[in-house]
């Protein structure tokens, strides 16, 4: 027992000496966890894109200050009169202005709803395109349908004018065949403007919109198809019960984003297609802001309307994000 006690005492004393010796050693630099280094590297990768987003999305918000002035380009901002919320008061106090804005909002919402209603077409197009077995034919169709996305709306209007103007190819063919005696005004009319603009948007963006769904199809687990084939599922059953349900989460996210951007139609398409006949029905909110600012020489009023549109769009995005989080269990932003 005495020998065992002496051994334990010696071991304890040696442990104390080692502890004191280690405590006197200078501490080296602690190594950062691998996860921290990886996160910092990823942050550096996205930093240029954050800078670009700040420069082109947030820095221009400084221009909202023009809505508080009666801005005159010749005088500059410092020489222009500060009017406060005068332009916002004019928007709600003038019946003529309110009626015009009401018509513009109706055009914007109608075209946006038509776009949302037809947003399912790229999904089905991607499914059927994926079912084409010949690679050369599938690649050819995808290339030909994606090319219009890279054509500017100015060139699209040139194509439309050469085909559907009063002296265009379609009218020439119809008149030569004896089907009509006078040219049909396809472009110089106020009838079915919303549908016409939607059809041109579909033609331009169908192939490009299908790319994201083709990428989602490539990520579907192939074992699902193999199991379904073993159970005797046919080609259309695979599309209906596997491909389509697997694509629905992607479609719902894009749908929610489309609803959040319901006031953002852009202006290029409607700017090139507008004329004296269809201006009342083709003028969407973005084009209206441009016409007021550039044609009407009221940059401050245009800034006020654009500011309100941006605020409403952000509110819609937050609302849609809250609905998505409540319904789907995850947010989109």
């Amino acid at each position: 027992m005495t020998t065992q006690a002496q051994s334990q005492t010696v071991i304890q004393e040696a442990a104390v000496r080692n502890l004191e010796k280690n405590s006197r050693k200078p501490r080296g630099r602690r190594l950062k966890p691998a996860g921290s280094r990886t996160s910092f590297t990823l942050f550096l990768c996205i930093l240029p894109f954050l800078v670009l987003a700040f420069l082109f999305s947030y820095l221009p918000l400084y221009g909202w200050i023009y809505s508080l002035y009666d801005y005159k380009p010749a005088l500059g901002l410092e020489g222009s009169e500060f009017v406060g919320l005068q332009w916002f008061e004019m928007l709600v106090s003038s019946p003529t202005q309110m009626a015009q804005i009401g018509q513009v909002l109706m055009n914007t919402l109608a075209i946006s709803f038509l776009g949302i209603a037809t947003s399912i077409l790229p999904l089905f197009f991607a499914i059927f395109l994926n079912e084409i077995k010949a690679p050369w034919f599938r690649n050819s169709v995808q290339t030909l349908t994606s090319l219009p996305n890279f054509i500017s709306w100015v060139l699209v209007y040139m194509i439309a004018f050469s085909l559907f103007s009063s002296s265009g190819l379609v009218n020439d063919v119809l008149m030569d065949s004896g089907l009509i005696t006078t040219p049909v005004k396809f472009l110089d009319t106020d009838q079915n403007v919303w549908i016409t603009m939607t059809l041109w948007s579909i033609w331009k963006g169908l192939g490009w919109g299908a790319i994201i769904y083709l990428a989602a199809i490539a990520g579907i687990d192939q074992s699902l198809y193999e199991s379904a084939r073993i159970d005797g599922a046919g080609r259309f059953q695979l599309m209906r019960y596997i491909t389509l349900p697997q694509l629905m989460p992607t479609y719902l996210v894009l749908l929610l984003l489309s609803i959040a951007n319901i006031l953002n139609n852009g202006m290029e398409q409607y700017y090139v297609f507008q004329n004296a006949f269809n201006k009342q029905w083709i003028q969407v909110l973005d084009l209206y802001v441009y016409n007021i600012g550039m044609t009407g020489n009221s940059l401050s009023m245009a800034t006020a309307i654009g500011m309100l549109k941006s605020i409403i769009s952000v509110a819609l995005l937050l609302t849609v994000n809250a609905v998505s989080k409540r319904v789907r269990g995850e947010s989109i932003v």
Side-chain angles (χ1 to χ4, degrees), residues 82-116:
F82 180 81
V83 296
L85 301 178
Q86 170 185 319
W87 301 111
F88 298 96
E89 294 174 355
M90 288 182 59
L91 288 176
V92 297
S93 62
S94 173
T96 303
Q97 190 77 29
M98 288 297 296
Q100 192 173 17
I101 292 179
Q103 178 65 44
V104 170
L105 286 176
M106 184 173 66
N107 298 339
T108 303
L109 295 176
I111 295 176
S112 294
F113 279 123
L114 287 174
I116 292 174

Side-chain angles (χ1 to χ4, degrees), residues 252 256 319-332:
L252 289 176
L256 292 175
T319 303
V320 168
N321 186 64
V323 172
S324 174
K325 190 172 183 179
R326 184 168 185 176
V327 175
R328 300 175 60 246
E330 56 185 28
S331 58
I332 57 178

